[in-house]
Amino acid sequence: MKKLLVIGIGAGNPDYITMQAVKALNLVDVFFLMDKGQSKDKLIDLRREICDRYITDRAYRFVQAQSPERERGDVDYKTSVDDLNLAKQLTFERLINEEMTDEQCAGFLVWGDPALYDSTIRILQAILASGRCVFEFEVIPGITSVQALAARHKVPLNRIGRSIEITTGRRLAAGQVSDADSLVVMLDAEDSYHQVADQDTEIYWGAYLGTPDEILVRGKLGEVADEIERVRKAARLANGWIMDTYLLRKP
Ligand SMILES: C[S@@+](CC[C@H](N)C(=O)[O-])C[C@H]1O[C@@H](n2cnc3c(N)ncnc32)[C@H](O)[C@@H]1O
């Protein structure tokens, strides 16, 4: 039976790797890397560096595949995500069918943790349900960007006994959030923190967490929102891409 390991590698710092992930890395014959274009080369390099650093006495190889892109612009968001996941499913099927033999073990190196805003598990479940490939798989958890953010700002995510909501910039901008007093926002391409009315809300913002390019800003929205927008724009321009996450805490 083919075996797949979905390995959470943490969100940026190679030291975020867990001992369980190191053991898993050392079982893998072939790593499937999804290439997201030139701007994300650094993310591919980090995966190679992790293998280099943690795999001892074992031959392994990489197979890089072009990651399908979501259609942007004037299209329904949900439809474009469904189409993207279908395209990814076909790519994964091809890799599993053509790039490994029955006795082999393949690894997907998932940024952060595979359970948080990542489609790898969902896609593998869909492939199994379709019956087009047969394999077993395991998931190895990793340190998420949310944990990295909290650690770097030295702040707990929740207030005592209270809830946390994790959401997307898109939902924040559309007002589709609960009244949880701690809100973590990911995948925000539009500076959606500007939509928050209460300017006394505290923001703990982090970009490129755990990497040498890391940037941290915190303060009341009324005082730092414009600074975050400025810093974010400049960093995005300098690096060609940005990954940022923030915690919003009601006053
Ligand atoms: C597709 S999600 C993947 C999340 C990932 N599975 C995790 O556990 O953090 C990508 C989003 O995660 C956040 N993110 C991931 N890595 C980050 C980092 N090193 N610094 C800041 N934000 C990060 C950003 O909000 C980014 O838009």
Side-chain angles (χ1 to χ4, degrees), residues 10-13 16 36 110-119 142-149 185-188 206-211 241-246:
N13 187 335
Y16 287 161
K36 294 192 176 167
V110 173
W111 194 256
D113 182 76
L116 186 67
Y117 287 113
D118 185 89
S119 50
I143 292 183
T144 68
S145 50
V146 179
Q147 291 158 288
L149 177 79
V185 184
M186 304 176 71
L187 293 157
D188 183 3
Y208 314 105
L209 291 157
T211 76
W241 57 283
I242 189 158
M243 274 194 315
D244 59 332
T245 306
Y246 49 92

Side-chain angles (χ1 to χ4, degrees), residues 39-103:
S39 61
K40 298 279 172 75
D41 276 357
K42 269 193 184 172
L43 305 187
I44 292 277
D45 290 349
L46 184 93
R47 287 171 168 88
R48 289 180 183 270
E49 184 193 326
I50 281 174
C51 292
D52 223 33
R53 196 197 283 194
Y54 295 109
I55 300 177
T56 46
D57 289 336
R58 183 176 178 87
Y60 59 90
R61 64 195 173 93
F62 294 105
V63 174
Q64 209 156 323
Q66 193 66 40
S67 183
E69 288 282 327
R70 183 169 69 78
E71 201 183 336
R72 292 177 199 265
D74 197 15
V75 285
D76 175 60
Y77 178 70
K78 170 128 191 357
T79 310
S80 69
V81 171
D82 288 347
D83 289 349
L84 172 66
N85 281 337
L86 191 61
K88 280 190 186 169
Q89 187 176 324
L90 295 176
T91 305
F92 281 22
E93 280 179 23
R94 184 181 61 73
L95 291 171
I96 296 164
N97 282 331
E98 296 176 9
E99 297 290 350
M100 64 188 294
T101 60
D102 272 351
E103 311 72 41

